[in-house]
Amino acid sequence: MANEAAAPRPIRLAIIGVGKIARDQHLPAIAQDPRFELVAAVSRNAVVDGVANYHDIAELIAAGHDLNAVSLCTPPVGRSAIAIAAIDAGLDVMMEKPPAATLSDVAKIQAHAAAAGRTLFATWHSREAAGVATARAWLADRRVERMTIEWREDIRRWHPGQDWILEAGGFGVFDPGINALSIATAVLPGAWTVEGADLRVPEGRMSPLSADLRMTCGDVPVTAAFDFLHEGQQQWDIVVDTDGGTLRLRMGGSVIEIDGAVTEAPDAEYPRLYDRFAQLVRARSSDVDVRPLQLVADAFLIGRRESLPPFAW
């Protein structure tokens, strides 16, 4: 009897940054995908049970473990140095959104990975929401007249005590808002431009708690309202008016409504991200799209600042 081909060896992975998003999303997605084997974690103030734990990436690399890849879940500031250290150690790199604090950081990481022949995956988890691919296909056959984005959530619920998110480079309300922009740039191809922005920053903080953006994609007007102080029912909605009806992506893209017909699917964003990372690693390819980050950077460059009262947890 002919010998069956041996199954590919799992990708030996370390997760760097063990916070809420890592525990809620990354660790379960890794655990359910047999193409990955989690062998280590890096964090300054947390541990993952059942694997080796280290304080920083230098300790991780020195320990060996025959690693293949790392998944970076740290805050964006400082991530560039971590990614480059991983690449220099011969590792493939997956990055939680946003990929880094600045566009030049992303370009530096991307060039470094390309020169070393390593896979680099800058993830946008909201693009993997169940309704996004359907929305993109439906819109491709219609003339889009306008897009409206409303992204309102409670920072105290989703980021309790995480002061870094309101510091310089922490993105503030754009930490969730960039998710909406990642969906918008995925479903509407074309040249995106920020025409104007209003950014509201609490006294003593560096990043906004709410923002309004006025944009265009080609000749399509797009408005976005982002609010990080929204209590009650959380809202993550994108409405697209076309010459052939109205499309709504609700609940961050997991629910799609087209002219009143509603389709909802369970959350599988992070399993899809790890599926994509596994494919990229096997193909020795990379996937880095900076368009959502470009729009945020433009909003910070041209946005009008308004002051809010001091914010406390």
Side-chain angles (χ1 to χ4, degrees):
M1 187 170 66
N3 291 332
E4 294 184 2
R9 176 192 176 194
I11 298 166
R12 292 174 60 81
L13 180 76
I15 193 163
I16 301 180
V18 183
K20 180 175 173 56
I21 195 66
R23 293 196 184 280
D24 289 353
Q25 299 290 352
H26 287 262
L27 293 177
I30 294 166
Q32 74 179 55
D33 194 326
R35 291 169 296 183
F36 291 94
E37 178 185 358
L38 183 67
V39 297
V42 175
S43 177
R44 294 181 180 179
N45 49 29
V47 298
V48 175
D49 294 338
V51 301
N53 287 270
Y54 300 96
H55 183 262
D56 56 38
I57 191 169
E59 288 184 0
L60 170 70
I61 292 169
H65 292 296
D66 193 21
L67 284 175
N68 305 117
V70 293
S71 182
L72 305 188
C73 304
T74 59
V77 171
R79 192 181 290 169
S80 174
I82 299 170
I84 287 173
I87 293 165
D88 285 343
L91 304 178
D92 298 317
V93 177
M94 173 172 165
M95 299 188 293
E96 175 61 70
K97 65 83 190 172
T102 67
L103 289 164
S104 56
D105 271 347
V106 179
K108 181 179 179 181
I109 299 167
Q110 189 173 11
H112 210 70
R118 307 317 309 173
T119 289
L120 180 65
F121 182 25
T123 69
W124 300 105
H125 68 81
S126 290
R127 287 182 174 175
E128 301 300 334
V132 173
T134 300
R136 181 169 57 246
W138 189 83
L139 291 170
D141 297 328
R142 290 161 176 82
R143 180 173 59 81
V144 177
E145 297 172 346
R146 69 185 61 81
M147 173 185 280
T148 304
I149 299 169
E150 293 189 77
W151 224 253
R152 307 177 191 277
E153 64 179 66
D154 186 351
I155 186 175
R156 293 181 176 91
R157 175 176 173 182
W158 300 103
H159 298 276
Q162 296 181 17
D163 282 308
W164 63 266
I165 209 166
L166 293 177
E167 295 304 316
F171 285 70
V173 74
F174 288 109
D175 181 81
I178 204 170
N179 295 333
L181 299 176
S182 73
I183 295 174
T185 51
V187 301
L188 283 191
W192 280 79
T193 304
V194 177
E195 304 289 346
D198 299 306
L199 312 179
R200 301 173 192 92
V201 182
E203 293 179 18
R205 304 285 186 166
M206 302 300 293
S207 292
L209 275 172
S210 68
D212 294 323
L213 270 60
R214 297 169 295 282
M215 300 172 284
T216 56
C217 176
D219 60 356
V220 178
V222 181
T223 58
F226 301 137
D227 184 3
F228 226 172
L229 294 173
H230 184 71
E231 299 179 352
Q233 181 67 40
Q234 308 290 275
Q235 182 181 19
W236 304 286
D237 295 345
I238 297 176
V239 179
V240 188
D241 295 312
T242 80
D243 62 347
T246 297
L247 177 146
R248 291 178 172 84
L249 283 169
R250 298 191 280 109
M251 296 305 295
S254 63
V255 178
I256 184 170
E257 177 182 337
I258 300 175
D259 290 335
V262 178
T263 303
E264 184 173 0
D267 174 25
E269 294 177 8
Y270 280 83
R272 290 192 184 105
L273 287 181
Y274 277 92
D275 174 66
R276 175 65 173 153
F277 188 40
Q279 293 177 24
L280 290 169
V281 169
R282 298 302 186 202
R284 305 311 312 150
S285 299
S286 292
D287 182 351
V288 180
D289 181 4
V290 298
R291 289 177 297 164
L293 183 58
Q294 286 176 327
L295 295 178
V296 172
D298 287 350
F300 273 105
L301 280 170
I302 70 169
R304 295 176 58 256
R305 266 66 169 182
E306 300 175 16
S307 181
L308 293 177
F311 171 81
W313 299 101

